[in-house]
Each structure stands twice: as C-alpha cells, then as structure tokens.
Amino acid sequence: MPFDARGLPAPLPDVDIPLCVPNIGTNEWAYVKECLDTGWVSSAGRYVERFEREFAAKVGVPYAVATASGTAALHVALLVAGVRSEDEVIVPALTFIAPANAVRYTGAWPTFVDAEPDYWQLDPAEVRAFLEHDCERRDREVWNRRTGRRVAAVLPVDILGHPCDLDAIHAVAGEYELTVVEDATESLGACYRGRPLGQRSQLTCFSFNGNKLLTTGAGGMVATTDARLAERARYLTTQAKDDPLEFVHAEIGFNYRLSNVQAAIGCAQLERLDEFVARKRQIASRYAHALCGLRGVSVMREAPWATASFWLSTILVAEGRAAHGSRALLKSLQAARIQTRPLWQPLHRSRAHTGSFARPCPVAERLNREALSLPSSTGLTEAECDYVVERVAHFLAGDRGAA
Ligand SMILES: *Cc1c(COP(=O)(O)O)cnc(C)c1O
C-alpha cells in the first residue's frame, strides 16, 4: 500500500493527486471524541441541533433539517413540496443522477431540460420552452401533453459550485405556480446576487458527502424559510412519530436523521467553510490563468449573478480545436497519477431513466464530451496545482512540440 509523507496510507492506490478529498482539522477530532466519551453517538444529541442551528445561520435561513444524506434531503424535500406519484418534475439533463432518482422515489418522473452554454446550469429559457410548447394549462395546473402527467415542481441543480440563474427560474416557475426545490449540494458557500445559496427557493438541499464543500462522512440538509415545511420535513425524516412514547404513527416516515457523530464533524467543518471556499476560488483562478492560453481550452466562468464556490475546477477541451479530446487528456493525466473526472452522462441518455420525457439537450451532450474536472481538494498545494497545469499543457501542446 502506498503511503503519504506522514506515513499514512495514501487516499487512492494509483493516484498522487486525487480529484477532491476531505480536509479534516483538529476540532473534528475533539467534537467526535466528545460524542464517543459521552455515549451520544446516534440520532439524538446536542451536535445535531447545533449543526442545524449553525448551518441555518450560515446560510441565512430560519430553518434547517439535517438528514442522513443529500439524496435523503432531496427525497424528503420533494415530498414536502407536494410532489405526488405520477407527477413530473423538471430536472436538468446535466447533473449527478441523485436528484432524478429522488424524483423517482416519490413515484413521480423527471423531465429533462438542457443546460445553458455559458455557465452550464439549467437553462431558464428551456424550462419556459417546455412549459409553453409541450404542456397545457388546465385550471391552475400544468400538464405535459405528451405524457399526460401533471408538472408539479422545478428542481434546479447548482452544479460544480456555481449557482443557476435563480431569478429567471423562479420567474417561470411563478408564472406556472410550480414549487422550486433547489439542489445546491455542490454549491454550498456560493452566492446568488450576493446572498448565500439556500435563501432563494422554497426548499434547498445540501449534501455533506466525502468530497463535497464540507463533509460529515455522509449527510445532508434541507434549508427552508417556511416553518410548516421545516416541521413536516423533520417529522418525515424521524419515522413520522405522532406520539414518541406510545409509538403511534399516522404516516409512513423515514429513518433519514443525521447521527450526532456526523453532526459533530459537520460543526467543526462549518467553522472552516469560508476558508474552504476561499481556497477553492484560489485554485480555480490559478487553473484559469495558467490554462486559458492553451488552444481549445476554456474554464468554467462566473456569471454576473454569481459568486461561485468552485467545488470542482472544470475545463472544457473543445472538440476539433484542442490537440486532443477530454478523454485522451484524462488518460494521460491518469498515467501521471493525477485523478480527473468527466461530467455525468446526460440523464436523458441514462438507461436508469428510460420512460422519462426530455427536451433535446445538445448543450448537455457537448459539455459531457468536452468537460474535465481537475484536482480541487482544499488541501491541494500550489506545487501540485502547477504540476497538474504542466501535465495538461504538455499533453495538449504535444503536437506542436512545446511543453
Ligand atoms: C452529491 C450530490 C447529491 C447526493 O448527495 P449524497 O449526500 O451523496 O446523497 C445530490 N445532488 C447532487 C447534484 C450531488 O452532486
């Protein structure tokens, strides 16, 4: 087993520079030790409440409900938003699959809509095109004419640390009286028009999985400004107990509560969120300055409405313009023990979601072919960052003999 400089096992066997790994400090150890010392290790305990309170304050919302994962947060948020079996929910084609899966958990169907080409987020114009061209209004509801299903909600996903154009999405959603459940799991710490993500939509979901902006090992959060929605989310995530003493239940609930040990890690990580975001922004800007001169290479830019948290610094390697494609670059970096990753298969192409309705999604398809996420751990050193740059430049400039 390979070891790192401190003599600890290296995070991955064939990798010197991983894509994105957790950054664990001293308070994480101290808070977890306290849980173990006191026996408060499960889903009750003061760290769960403290994590919810401090997270809500950080994001600037009155309510936050901790969950066992980001996917659980999405499932519960959709239920709380009133999404029912055989409804439809608008989901971007270009995202990690979890939000689309969460829609299926409720019995509803995702409808896939394309990304916009500038910042790669859900395209509000395409959301509008779907509602205008593929749907009809009946009373105060919107129905997909092709599938015969009711459209219940829009689920924008702020991908890669960059916010969607939330005002534009809310404007369309408002016209059609659709609830907006936002998936900001990749973009904690980012701001939309100067305000932290989590404030704009009726419900916003976050994940604290291992490689997200901050981690609890596994975990998630539902943020909301609505007391009723928060109470309902809390009820459903804790087995829907109506009488905790007599074990009386009127509904099927879920065991979706975060544990105290995980919340303890979360409290310590939250203290460092600003530091993490600042570091991610430095990494993105270092890559941007160093790589943008390469023929056919561009980086994810920041929209005028955005202060991105740059969860994963991502480049596009333009087909027909760069010397090699993104997948050849990935292999070349892999040989140099640098871990990179393409973006997700667009979901309208996913066999897991056969039977879902989709608009044409040419932008998502092109971004999937051209994008590559580069190492973005907050612990990445300048030297490592420069080494990645050098290997990318060397490979893409190879044909012209320059390094
Ligand atoms: C990571 C992620 C999730 C799921 O979070 P988990 O905590 O792993 O369940 C959901 N949506 C997006 C966009 C993600 O990147």
Side-chain angles (χ1 to χ4, degrees), residues 87-106:
D87 280 348
E88 258 176 46
V89 177
I90 298 171
V91 175
L94 189 67
T95 168
F96 179 54
I97 200 169
N101 288 354
V103 170
R104 294 296 293 129
Y105 300 168
T106 69

Side-chain angles (χ1 to χ4, degrees), residues 183-229:
D183 179 350
T185 57
E186 297 181 3
S187 301
L188 174 61
C191 291
Y192 181 77
R193 299 194 188 282
R195 306 178 76 179
L197 288 188
Q199 299 184 10
R200 188 69 183 79
S201 302
Q202 283 93 332
L203 294 145
T204 305
C205 300
F206 295 89
S207 161
F208 313 121
N209 207 336
N211 70 3
K212 297 292 157 75
L213 253 294
L214 66 81
T215 188
T216 59
M221 195 76 85
V222 180
T224 178
T225 50
D226 185 317
R228 249 183 354 116
L229 296 181

Side-chain angles (χ1 to χ4, degrees), residues 238-378:
T238 52
Q239 306 278 32
K241 286 197 193 89
D242 291 299
D243 182 328
L245 183 63
E246 298 287 345
F247 289 91
V248 173
H249 309 259
E251 279 184 66
I252 308 286
F254 302 90
N255 177 14
Y256 277 174
R257 192 81 174 138
L258 191 71
S259 78
N260 203 48
V261 176
Q262 291 167 309
I265 302 175
C267 287
Q269 289 265 294
L270 196 58
E271 293 167 1
R272 304 169 67 205
L273 180 61
D274 294 345
E275 173 202 327
F276 289 165
V277 171
R279 183 64 195 134
K280 294 273 192 191
R281 291 182 59 82
Q282 277 171 357
I283 292 168
S285 121
R286 202 171 179 94
Y287 281 133
H289 284 113
L291 293 173
C292 273
L294 288 173
R295 183 162 55 92
V297 175
S298 56
V299 298
M300 189 179 81
R301 294 180 303 132
E302 242 174 340
W305 61 77
T307 310
S309 53
F310 289 103
W311 170 51
L312 294 180
S313 283
T314 302
I315 60 171
L316 294 188
V317 184
E319 289 178 321
R321 292 223 306 121
H324 300 282
S326 65
R327 300 306 193 273
L329 175 60
L330 179 150
K331 289 212 177 72
S332 146
L333 294 171
Q334 196 171 34
R337 302 174 61 86
I338 297 168
Q339 187 186 24
T340 63
R341 197 170 82 180
L343 295 185
W344 322 272
Q345 179 192 42
L347 292 177
H348 65 297
R349 299 269 177 228
S350 169
R351 274 180 48 212
H353 288 286
T354 308
S356 296
F357 183 78
R359 299 269 305 165
C361 298
V363 175
E365 287 173 11
R366 178 177 58 81
L367 292 171
N368 169 251
R369 291 192 301 270
E370 295 189 343
L372 198 65
S373 296
L374 302 178
S376 304
S377 306
T378 51

Side-chain angles (χ1 to χ4, degrees), residues 27 46 85 98 184 235 253 293 309 344 381:
N27 278 356
R46 68 186 189 93
S85 192
Y235 175 73
S309 53
W344 322 272
T381 64

Side-chain angles (χ1 to χ4, degrees), residues 75-126:
H75 182 196
V76 131
L78 288 163
L79 290 173
V80 165
V83 173
R84 299 190 304 250
S85 192
E86 294 305 315
D87 280 348
E88 258 176 46
V89 177
I90 298 171
V91 175
L94 189 67
T95 168
F96 179 54
I97 200 169
N101 288 354
V103 170
R104 294 296 293 129
Y105 300 168
T106 69
W109 295 82
T111 285
F112 298 115
V113 167
D114 208 2
E116 38 80 15
D118 294 333
Y119 312 105
W120 320 346
Q121 310 296 323
L122 176 65
D123 187 346
E126 275 296 301

